[in-house]
């Protein structure tokens, strides 16, 4: 049988795992409605007694107690079923969001560059919530509606009401399947548009909030409001169309029920006046048809919810079908723990959407324990080289080796565990400074955290805060200055004590004296380990064992600081531009 929510491992997995609880909820709701279906029969019997002048005090008491028992039984059983379904729905929401986040962490950096944060939050919030509501509320209402319809029909057939009256009365209900077939797909398609426009709005809001400083600096609040207003207008229009469709559909179902009730009253009333139908049966018939009207309304709600949930599931399934473009190759091996040598053989690399190579014919051999400086103008390929070493982008097979092992045939986890990477704009999280430094291992001791802070020359700054290392940072670390954020990020890279450390312009925001202290600390603590220092300032690479100069994606010079100055090429020209001090140090 095809699931009403389509092919979705998310929903089917939930139903299979918790089938017993779903079955218990369904049985509880079913039992509640079977009991509730006795309500018209009790009133019908009461009406017959009134008509026959056989009503006594004892009969009134018994009828009252029966109605009270029916109400109490219905409330308890229906409440239990609702509680189970809503609890299962919340658990689905919780586990699905965790699954989505795990999936996000597997996707590559390139995928995130094409999908904004707001869009991803829309998946996590809007789509998951829509499916959860369908599972919880939809299951409750659908079970309730089906059982009420079946029990009402069964009791009506067994009540002695003439079949001719029943057949004529329920005839208008035959239009319901046609209404479902017509409106269902249309509601689903429009729901998909609503979810996509909600994602666009979330993405727009995230972008506008992130750039609020720029907006205020340029006094462009009106422009920002206009841009955000356009996304809100799209949501309003899509939701208006969805409400129109849903309203027509939900109004049609009760209309069919009302027509059935009208037919019953007219036809049944004629039969009562002719003496062919008792007053009790007439009361039962009208009450049962009235009971059927509510399930029809519930079915309309359920179909609306299911169609909206199917639209959200389509989006979630498309997301979960995304596969990372960088993954472990079949048979990939982990790196040895102490792997620290790097070898690059004829590396040429072009970004997928670029027209020319970012790197061309790069050949470089770095022995374990060396400190290598990489300098060059912006866009010369320095950061691209770091990304390839980390396999943020995949190099061609057979071109990049770490510890003598091709990184394309190495497990990603072991490769990235062997490399500490500190970018220029290191991201800091909205948590404590200690948690940010110990990000890779939350079990790090305070002693090691403080040691890393000293090596990054940030310890005194942190100690000066009222809460010290327990100071909670604002969003993206805005509590700290640019230089403090950079040094905190550096401490996070140093505490890892990885065999290979890549500093990608990681001290560009600090003054010359602080930079000198940090580099001196690195020389002391990184002995026997490989360090790559990518920099624009020559002062950061003066003492490197090897300096590589890059230009337009190629290595144009290599050597020590003294050798490159004597060469009188690109490096020497850069040294002169940055001041005579760099030349004197040579």
């Amino acid at each position: 049988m095809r699931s009403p929510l389509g092919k979705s491992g998310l929903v089917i997995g939930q139903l299979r795992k918790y089938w017993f609880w779903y079955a218990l909820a369904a049985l509880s709701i079913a039992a509640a409605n079977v009991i509730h279906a006795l309500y018209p029969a009790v009133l019908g019997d009461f009406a017959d007694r009134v008509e026959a002048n056989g009503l006594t005090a004892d009969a009134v008491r018994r009828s009252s107690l029966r109605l009270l028992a029916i109400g109490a039984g219905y409330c308890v059983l229906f409440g239990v079923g609702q509680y189970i379904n809503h609890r299962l729905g919340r658990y689905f929401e919780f586990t699905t969001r965790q699954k989505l986040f795990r999936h996000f962490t597997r996707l590559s950096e390139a995928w995130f560059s094409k999908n904004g944060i707001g869009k991803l939050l829309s998946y996590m919030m809007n789509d998951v919530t829509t499916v959860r509501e369908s599972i919880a509320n939809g299951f409750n209402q659908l079970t309730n509606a089906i059982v009420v319809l079946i029990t009402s029909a069964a009791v009506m057939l067994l009540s002695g009401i003439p079949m001719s009256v029943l057949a004529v009365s329920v005839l208008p209900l035959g239009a319901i399947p046609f209404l479902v077939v017509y409106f269902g797909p249309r509601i689903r398609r429009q729901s998909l548009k609503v979810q996509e426009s909600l994602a666009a709005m979330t993405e727009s809001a995230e972008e506008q909030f992130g750039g609020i400083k720029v907006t205020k600096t340029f006094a462009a609040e009106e422009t920002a409001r206009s841009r955000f207003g356009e996304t809100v207008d799209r949501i309003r229009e899509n939701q208006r169309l969805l409400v129109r469709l849903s309203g027509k559909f939900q109004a049609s179902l009760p209309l069919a029920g009302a027509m059935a009730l009208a037919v019953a009253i007219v036809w049944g009333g004629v039969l009562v006046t002719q003496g062919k139908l008792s007053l009790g049966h007439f009361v039962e018939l009208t009450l049962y048809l009235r009971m059927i009207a509510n399930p029809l309304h519930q079915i309309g709600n359920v179909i609306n919810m299911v169609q909206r949930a199917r639209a959200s599931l389509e989006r979630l399934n498309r997301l979960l079908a995304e596969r990372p473009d960088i993954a472990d190759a079949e048979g990939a091996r982990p790196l040895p723990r102490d792997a620290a040598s790097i070898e690059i053989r004829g590396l040429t690399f072009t970004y997928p959407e670029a027209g020319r190579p970012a790197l061309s014919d790069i050949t470089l051999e770095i022995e374990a324990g060396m400190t290598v400086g990489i300098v060059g103008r912006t866009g010369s390929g320095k950061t691209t080289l770091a990304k390839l070493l980390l396999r943020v982008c995949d190099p061609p097979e057979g071109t990049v080796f770490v510890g003598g092992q091709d990184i394309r045939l190495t497990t990603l986890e072991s490769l990235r565990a062997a490399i500490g990477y500190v970018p220029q704009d290191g991201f800091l999280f909205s948590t404590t400074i200690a948690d940010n430094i110990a990000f890779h291992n939350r079990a790090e001791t305070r002693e090691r955290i403080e040691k890393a802070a000293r090596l990054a020359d940030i310890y005194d700054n942190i100690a000066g805060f009222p809460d010290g290392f327990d100071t909670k940072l604002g969003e993206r670390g805005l509590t700290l200055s640019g230089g403090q954020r950079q040094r905190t990020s550096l401490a996070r890279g140093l505490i890892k004590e990885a065999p290979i450390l890549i500093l990608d312009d990681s001290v560009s925001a600090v003054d010359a004296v602080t930079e000198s202290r940090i580099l001196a600390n690195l020389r002391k603590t990184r002995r026997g380990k490989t360090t790559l220092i990518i920099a624009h300032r020559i002062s950061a690479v003066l003492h490197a064992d090897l300096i590589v100069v890059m230009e337009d994606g190629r290595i144009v010079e290599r050597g020590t600081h003294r050798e490159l100055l004597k060469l009188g090429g690109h490096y020497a020209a850069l040294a002169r531009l940055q001041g005579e001090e760099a030349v004197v140090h040579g």
Side-chain angles (χ1 to χ4, degrees), residues 204 208 215 219-232:
S204 175
Q208 297 296 339
T215 300
E221 289 88 348
E222 187 58 38
T223 302
R225 285 193 290 267
S226 175
R227 288 178 177 173
F228 184 72
E230 290 173 4
T231 64
V232 174

Side-chain angles (χ1 to χ4, degrees), residues 215-443:
T215 300
K216 288 187 171 295
T217 302
F218 282 82
E221 289 88 348
E222 187 58 38
T223 302
R225 285 193 290 267
S226 175
R227 288 178 177 173
F228 184 72
E230 290 173 4
T231 64
V232 174
D233 286 342
R234 284 196 292 272
I235 293 174
R236 181 180 62 184
E237 180 61 20
N238 284 324
Q239 286 186 329
R240 185 182 65 81
L241 294 174
L242 178 60
V243 168
R244 180 187 294 176
L245 278 172
S246 300
K248 288 179 179 179
F249 175 61
Q250 288 182 292
S252 299
L253 294 181
L255 178 61
M259 290 173 64
L261 184 59
V263 170
I265 291 174
V266 173
W267 183 244
V270 170
L271 294 180
V272 169
T273 58
Q274 294 176 352
K276 297 178 180 178
L277 184 68
S278 72
L279 178 62
H281 282 155
F282 178 73
V283 170
E284 285 186 55
L285 175 63
T286 54
L287 286 174
Y288 278 123
L289 289 175
R290 186 68 188 88
M291 286 179 65
I292 288 174
N294 186 50
L296 294 179
H297 182 70
Q298 288 180 327
I299 288 174
N301 284 336
V302 170
I303 292 172
N304 265 322
M305 283 189 286
V306 167
Q307 295 303 332
R308 294 181 185 188
R310 287 187 67 181
S312 290
L313 278 172
E314 286 179 23
R315 284 165 45 82
L316 292 173
N317 286 333
R318 283 202 303 266
L319 172 62
L320 292 171
E322 292 282 351
R323 291 293 173 261
D325 50 9
I326 297 175
D328 288 340
E330 188 175 348
R333 295 178 295 130
L335 277 179
R337 289 186 177 181
D338 57 350
S341 64
I342 300 171
E343 184 180 1
I344 302 173
R345 304 174 186 171
L347 169 63
T348 296
F349 174 79
T350 304
Y351 285 104
E353 298 177 359
R356 52 177 292 182
L359 295 174
S360 299
D361 196 26
I362 301 294
T363 297
L364 182 64
E365 189 169 347
I366 302 172
E367 296 177 5
M370 288 182 67
T371 296
V372 176
I374 303 175
V375 298
R377 286 186 282 189
T378 300
S380 60
K382 305 184 299 297
T383 297
T384 297
L385 190 59
K387 288 182 176 181
L388 292 173
L389 285 170
L390 286 159
R391 283 191 68 194
V392 172
C393 303
D394 255 341
E397 195 169 330
T399 58
V400 182
F401 298 81
V402 171
Q405 191 168 308
D406 188 342
I407 65 171
R408 287 289 298 270
L409 303 176
T410 299
T411 60
L412 280 169
E413 184 178 2
S414 67
L415 175 67
R416 292 171 181 171
I419 301 175
Y421 177 62
V422 185
Q424 179 180 6
D425 55 346
F427 186 94
L428 297 181
F429 297 88
S430 301
T431 181
T432 65
I433 295 175
D435 281 345
N436 270 284
I437 294 175
F439 177 69
H440 86 290
N441 180 10
R442 300 185 71 181

Side-chain angles (χ1 to χ4, degrees), residues 557-571:
E557 294 175 357
R558 67 183 75 199
T560 64
H561 176 68
R562 290 178 182 274
E563 291 169 349
L564 292 173
L565 286 179
K566 291 177 182 177
L567 192 62
H570 291 79
Y571 185 85

